[in-house]
Amino acid sequence: QVQLVESGGGSVQAGGSLRLSCAASGYTWSSYCMGWFRQAPGKEREGVATIDSDGRTSYADSVKGRFTISRNSAKNTLYLRMSSLKPEDTAMYYCAADTACEPLWVGFFGYWGQGTQVTVSS
C-alpha cells in the first residue's frame, strides 16, 4: 500500500526558508502524481504545488516564485523548498499522491501523509 511520511517542518522567522520532504513507498513514481497541500486553522485545505510524471509543475498563485516542488525518483522522495516565508504560510503541510494528476485539486488525491507543521512568525 502507498505510504507517505512528511518531515522538515518547524518554526521560522518571516523571510526564512524550510525544505519539506515526503518519503514515499508502495507505488511507482512514473505512474503517480505527487503534491503538497496545506491547511491553516479554520480554513479549508488548499493545493500548494503538484508535479506530474512528466515533471510538469503547478503552483498556487500565493507561493509562485517562493516555493519549488521537486522529486528524487531514486530515493522515492518528494520535496518542497520554501523561501521568503510569510506568516500566512503557517499551516499543516500534507504530502499527497495518486495515479494521475489533477493539479492542486485536494479532492482528487487518494493517498495522504500525516502532515508536518510549518509556523512562520512575523
Side-chain angles (χ1 to χ4, degrees), residues 17-32:
S17 300
L18 284 173
R19 187 183 73 167
L20 307 184
S21 298
C22 173
S25 62
Y27 71 101
T28 301
W29 276 105
S30 62
S31 61
Y32 278 77

Side-chain angles (χ1 to χ4, degrees), residues 36 49 57 59 63 65-70 79-83:
W36 289 97
T57 57
Y59 295 92
V63 307
R66 300 189 298 118
F67 291 12
T68 301
I69 187 171
S70 62
Y79 302 99
L80 183 68
R81 290 170 289 181
M82 306 182 292
S83 61

Side-chain angles (χ1 to χ4, degrees), residues 45-114:
R45 191 171 299 185
E46 64 178 349
V48 175
T50 51
I51 184 167
D52 68 15
S53 59
D54 294 319
R56 291 178 296 183
T57 57
S58 296
Y59 295 92
D61 288 341
S62 60
V63 307
K64 286 181 179 177
R66 300 189 298 118
F67 291 12
T68 301
I69 187 171
S70 62
R71 66 184 181 187
N72 186 322
S73 295
K75 296 183 178 180
N76 292 330
T77 303
L78 180 76
Y79 302 99
L80 183 68
R81 290 170 289 181
M82 306 182 292
S83 61
S84 301
L85 284 162
K86 305 174 181 179
E88 51 263 44
D89 293 319
T90 295
M92 183 72 74
Y93 283 71
Y94 298 91
C95 175
D98 214 297
T99 56
C101 223
E102 291 292 343
L104 307 178
W105 185 34
V106 171
F108 177 80
F109 290 83
Y111 304 96
W112 295 83
Q114 295 299 306

